[in-house]
């Protein structure tokens, strides 16, 4: 099973770059199945980073709750109507299955075949001497079940309701009995007994099976041709031949067509209730087109394997990928405050340090392990540091960030000073995004003293575009808060040139009277020298909430 390395929802450059780099580190050290993932598409600046580094974007996974197709067995065996008992049973035994899906020629599921239902073909109607001898099959299937050969055959693929008669009595008694039945339905099984073979051929039976490895004499073969009697040679004795003929029956009557199938995209949590109420032994999983995707057992749905996650650049479940509650978190690598909700059933690796970027922590792992990152990965990590520390100008910047970025410089394929200037000039959210996308681009949700709120942050070169779009941004903020059921939403617009920010609020309460920053307009404040959501704005908002509740 893959180990998914995830950044937070509405990922920024540090979240995506740290996920890519840490997945690469884990693959090279302890987790070959590590895969970088993200909860949404990269923003413009992150796309620039990936283009410059020549790296693919992480796999976008919006919800890690497993679906039926995630836990089903893709490689499985099937049966088709028209298959014989021995064919279906052989497959089930080879795959160690007690039931298999039955599909049509287009792989659409038509039913399920179980071992118990198969046994009914052999042992049904035991009290009726006629029905117990009847097999629905074809001469071709009989020959295949015996591993035999034809001396002469007529319409081998024709489906017949055959009455099996064993020539073990006197010739006169057998002939008299044989004449009681429709000759076109009779198949006679006997050894090297011309006294049985001749009247059977003269009667014009559907088929004659010669057991024990014997052959029909040339003269009788010619007579069989003349009377249209098929002749099959069996290598087995009469008892085993008869048993194998019974195993040549078509499976069609044994197929349970009233079956429950599971849509491939159905959540396992939803499928669990269906499976628990059903007596089916197996559950075919089908796509939207009705075609078979795989096969699930009850245990696959009731107790599925939990997705394995590594969280980077966050540790609060409100910021994690949807469905995280049903996953196994095996590691956290972060540089933010500790949030609520994170629990584990066993000890996990948890690294949380006050540095400016999660990529700093990832790069330190490379250096500590003596691993040289590929140039693309080095540029990826450097980009995360540049983004989150505003190229080492943010108050969140530490000596560790400076040291690690210095270590990465010589390993990057570009000049970082020129690269950083281009990075901040590209991808202005206010120039290229809708108001709704702006407030979602790098948005994190928090809970403090029961107050639920979000803070989005964008970085711009100047505030000119903000003033043009202020009103529509305020409308989008209010809509986001309503949609997510939040008490308020905030947008921090940071000018990377002046190292200051504007704070726009969807809703103000009396708590904001204590903010001690200039109020420019309704719900708008100028925050001089404030550029960090994590280290400056979030502590300020938390303090205001606590003060208002005293």
């Amino acid at each position: 099973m893959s180990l998914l390395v995830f950044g937070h929802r509405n990922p920024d450059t540090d979240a995506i770059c740290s996920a890519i780099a840490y997945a690469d580190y884990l693959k090279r050290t302890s987790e070959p199945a590590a895969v970088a993932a993200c909860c949404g598409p990269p923003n413009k600046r992150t796309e620039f980073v990936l283009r410059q580094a020549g790296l693919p974007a992480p796999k976008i996974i919006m919800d890690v709750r497993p679906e039926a197709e995630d836990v089903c067995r893709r490689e499985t065996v099937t049966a088709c109507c028209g298959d014989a008992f021995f064919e279906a049973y052989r497959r089930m035994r080879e795959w160690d299955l007690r039931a298999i899906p039955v599909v049509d020629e287009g792989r659409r599921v038509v039913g399920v075949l179980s071992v118990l239902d198969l046994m009914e073909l052999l042992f049904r109607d035991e009290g009726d001497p006629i029905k117990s001898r009847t097999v629905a099959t074809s001469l071709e299937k009989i020959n295949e079940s015996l591993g035999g050969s034809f001396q002469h055959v007529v319409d081998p693929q024709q489906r017949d309701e055959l009455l099996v008669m064993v020539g073990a009595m006197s010739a006169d008694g057998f002939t008299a009995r044989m004449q009681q039945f429709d000759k076109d339905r009779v198949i006679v099984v006997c050894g090297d007994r011309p006294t049985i073979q001749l009247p059977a051929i003269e009667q014009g039976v559907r088929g004659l099976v010669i057991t024990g490895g014997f052959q029909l004499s040339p003269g009788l073969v010619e007579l069989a041709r003349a009377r249209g009697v098929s002749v099959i040679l069996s290598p087995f004795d009469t008892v085993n031949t008869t048993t194998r003929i019974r195993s040549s029956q078509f499976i069609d009557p044994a197929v349970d067509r009233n079956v429950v199938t599971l849509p491939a995209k159905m959540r396992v949590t939803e499928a669990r209730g269906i499976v628990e109420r059903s007596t089916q032994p197996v559950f075919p999983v089908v796509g939207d087109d009705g075609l078979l995707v795989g096969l699930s057992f009850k245990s696959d749905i009731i107790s599925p394997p939990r997705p394995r996650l590594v969280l980077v650049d966050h540790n609060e479940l409100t910021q994690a990928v949807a469905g995280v509650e049903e996953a196994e978190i095996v590691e956290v690598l972060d540089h933010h405050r500790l949030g609520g909700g994170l629990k584990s059933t066993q000890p996990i690796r948890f690294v949380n340090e006050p540095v400016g970027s999660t990529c700093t922590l990832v790069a330190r792992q490379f250096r500590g392990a003596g691993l040289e990152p590929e140039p693309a990965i080095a540029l990826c990590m450097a980009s995360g540091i540049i983004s989150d520390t505003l190229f080492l100008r943010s108050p969140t910047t530490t000596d560790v960030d400076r040291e690690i970025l210095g270590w990465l410089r010589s390993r990057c394929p570009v000049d970082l000073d020129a690269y950083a200037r281009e990075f901040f000039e590209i991808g202005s959210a206010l120039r290229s995004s809708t108001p709704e996308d702006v407030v979602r681009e790098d948005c994190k949700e928090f809970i403090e003293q029961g107050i639920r709120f979000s803070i989005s942050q964008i970085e711009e070169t100047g505030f000119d575009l903000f003033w043009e779009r202020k009103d529509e941004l305020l409308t989008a903020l209010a809509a986001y808060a309503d949609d997510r059921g939040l008490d308020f939403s905030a947008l921090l617009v940071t000018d990377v040139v002046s190292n200051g920010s504007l704070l726009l609020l969807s809703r103000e309460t009396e708590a904001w009277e204590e903010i001690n920053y200039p109020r420019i307009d309704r719900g708008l404040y100028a925050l001089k020298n404030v550029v960090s959501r994590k280290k400056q704005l979030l502590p300020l908002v938390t303090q205001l909430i606590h003060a208002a509740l005293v």
Side-chain angles (χ1 to χ4, degrees):
M1 177 183 291
S2 297
L3 176 66
L4 300 175
V5 184
F6 265 102
H8 52 76
R9 297 182 191 180
N10 308 306
D12 59 3
T13 300
D14 190 38
I16 287 182
C17 288
S18 59
I20 292 172
Y22 200 47
D24 182 74
Y25 171 82
L26 291 173
K27 281 191 286 190
R28 294 177 61 182
T29 54
S30 60
E31 291 282 352
V35 175
C38 58
C39 309
N43 60 29
K44 298 295 184 183
R45 285 184 181 140
T46 308
E47 288 178 347
F48 166 76
V49 171
L50 298 178
R51 283 197 305 271
Q52 293 296 307
L55 291 170
K59 183 178 182 181
I60 296 178
I61 302 176
M62 303 303 293
D63 195 321
V64 294
R65 288 175 295 180
E67 298 172 338
E69 65 178 349
D70 297 324
V71 300
C72 73
R73 304 170 193 219
R74 297 290 187 127
E75 293 186 10
T76 189
V77 65
T78 62
C80 296
C81 290
D83 285 347
F85 174 104
F86 73 90
E87 295 172 310
Y89 181 71
R90 185 181 299 157
R91 292 173 206 154
M92 295 164 79
R93 185 178 59 189
E94 289 175 355
W95 286 72
D96 192 26
L97 295 172
R98 57 193 179 98
I100 57 177
V102 179
V103 299
D104 64 15
E105 293 179 354
R107 281 188 67 80
R108 285 180 172 79
V109 175
V110 297
V112 166
L113 179 68
S114 71
V115 171
L116 289 177
D117 291 333
L118 268 181
M119 292 302 107
E120 285 292 318
L121 284 177
L122 295 184
F123 301 111
R124 65 180 178 175
D125 302 318
E126 289 186 298
D128 188 315
I130 302 301
K131 290 183 178 179
S132 63
R133 292 174 177 269
T134 302
V135 292
T137 185
S138 67
L139 296 182
E140 181 180 58
K141 293 299 183 185
I142 290 177
N143 189 53
E144 290 176 6
S145 72
L146 296 170
S149 60
F150 290 112
Q151 265 194 295
H152 173 252
V153 66
V154 177
D155 295 331
Q157 296 180 342
Q158 177 179 299
R159 296 172 70 104
D160 294 302
E161 291 279 338
L162 297 176
L163 183 66
V164 180
M165 297 188 65
V166 178
M169 61 183 71
S170 67
D172 292 340
F174 181 77
T175 300
R177 186 168 186 182
M178 184 172 50
Q179 291 174 344
Q180 298 175 12
F181 306 109
D182 180 0
K183 62 183 179 60
D184 292 331
R185 291 186 55 207
V186 174
I187 184 165
V188 176
V189 180
C190 68
D192 187 22
R193 299 186 64 186
T195 57
I196 297 294
Q197 297 165 358
L198 178 58
I201 295 173
E202 289 179 334
Q203 184 73 20
V205 297
R206 178 70 176 98
L208 179 62
V209 180
I210 310 300
T211 65
F214 294 104
Q215 293 189 11
L216 202 61
S217 68
L220 289 180
V221 170
E222 287 304 315
L223 182 59
R225 292 182 189 278
R227 296 297 179 89
V229 176
S230 297
V231 181
I232 301 173
L233 306 181
S234 169
F236 300 101
D237 61 24
T238 300
V239 172
N240 283 313
T241 295
T242 304
T243 300
R244 286 176 177 264
I245 290 175
R246 290 181 64 79
S247 77
S248 71
Q249 298 180 77
F250 294 125
I251 64 171
D252 304 31
V255 176
D256 181 2
R257 299 172 186 271
N258 186 26
V259 297
V260 175
T261 59
L262 302 177
K265 295 298 182 181
M266 177 179 281
R267 296 288 178 198
V268 169
T269 49
E270 182 182 352
R272 186 177 296 130
I274 297 173
V275 166
E276 287 176 336
R277 293 190 298 269
S278 175
T279 59
Q280 276 182 219
V282 295
F283 296 85
V285 177
V286 298
D288 293 339
D289 52 8
L291 302 186
L292 182 69
V293 171
L295 185 68
S296 284
F297 294 91
K298 276 194 173 183
S299 58
D300 297 329
I301 301 297
I302 294 175
S303 301
R306 301 173 69 195
R308 300 170 63 233
L309 308 184
V310 171
L311 306 185
V312 296
D313 201 33
H314 69 299
N315 67 78
E316 299 188 44
L317 295 189
T318 56
Q319 299 171 10
V321 62
V324 66
E325 300 84 0
E326 297 182 29
E328 177 188 2
I329 299 173
V330 300
E331 187 172 352
V332 175
L333 192 65
D334 191 21
H335 68 132
H336 294 94
R337 71 170 193 172
L338 292 179
L342 182 61
K343 297 179 181 179
S344 66
T345 57
Q346 56 189 1
I348 65 172
R349 178 178 172 84
F350 193 106
V351 177
N352 188 282
E353 297 191 30
V355 294
S357 165
T358 305
C359 280
T360 296
L361 302 177
V362 179
R364 196 174 64 181
Q365 296 266 48
F366 274 93
R367 189 176 69 168
L371 282 178
E372 278 294 318
E374 296 291 331
I377 298 297
L379 181 58
C380 187
M381 292 187 287
S383 300
I385 297 172
I386 290 170
S387 175
D388 254 27
T389 67
L390 300 182
F391 200 20
L392 305 180
R393 295 197 303 273
S394 168
T396 61
T397 306
T398 67
D399 289 339
V400 177
D401 299 300
R402 298 183 182 92
E403 179 187 355
I404 291 297
L405 189 60
W407 180 74
L408 289 171
R409 267 185 184 274
S410 62
R411 292 161 174 80
C412 290
V414 299
D415 175 71
L416 287 188
D417 294 293
Y419 174 82
R421 285 194 296 272
E422 189 174 1
F423 173 82
F424 287 114
E425 289 172 358
I426 279 180
S428 163
L430 293 179
R431 187 179 302 279
S432 60
S433 301
T434 66
E436 293 75 20
D437 288 341
V438 170
V439 301
R440 285 175 167 81
E441 182 171 293
D442 179 13
C443 179
K444 290 185 177 180
E445 294 182 11
F446 305 92
I447 300 177
E448 194 68 39
Q449 296 293 306
I451 304 298
R452 298 184 67 242
F453 61 97
S454 69
I455 301 178
S456 306
Q457 183 174 19
I458 58 173
E459 285 131 8
E460 300 286 327
T461 52
F463 294 127
D464 292 345
L465 288 173
F466 170 78
W467 296 116
E468 294 178 15
R469 306 189 65 182
K470 178 177 72 72
D471 292 340
E472 60 182 6
L473 289 171
L474 181 60
T475 299
L477 267 182
Y480 181 82
D482 290 341
D483 180 60
R484 300 289 298 172
L486 305 176
D487 292 281
F488 67 89
S489 290
L491 172 64
L492 187 68
V493 184
T494 299
D495 179 7
V496 297
V497 177
S498 67
N499 267 23
S501 299
L502 294 175
L503 177 65
L504 185 64
L505 299 168
S506 66
R507 174 175 171 267
E508 289 181 281
T509 66
E510 57 186 23
W512 297 99
E513 296 177 1
E514 306 297 326
I515 192 171
N516 291 328
Y517 282 96
R519 185 177 189 269
I520 302 175
D521 198 354
R522 178 174 63 90
L524 180 63
Y525 295 84
L527 309 186
K528 186 178 181 181
N529 296 324
V530 173
V531 296
S532 170
R533 170 176 52 193
K534 174 187 70 176
K535 194 169 184 178
Q536 294 174 300
L537 180 57
L538 182 58
L540 172 62
V541 173
T542 300
Q543 178 184 347
L544 292 173
I545 290 174
H546 279 265
L549 295 176
V550 172

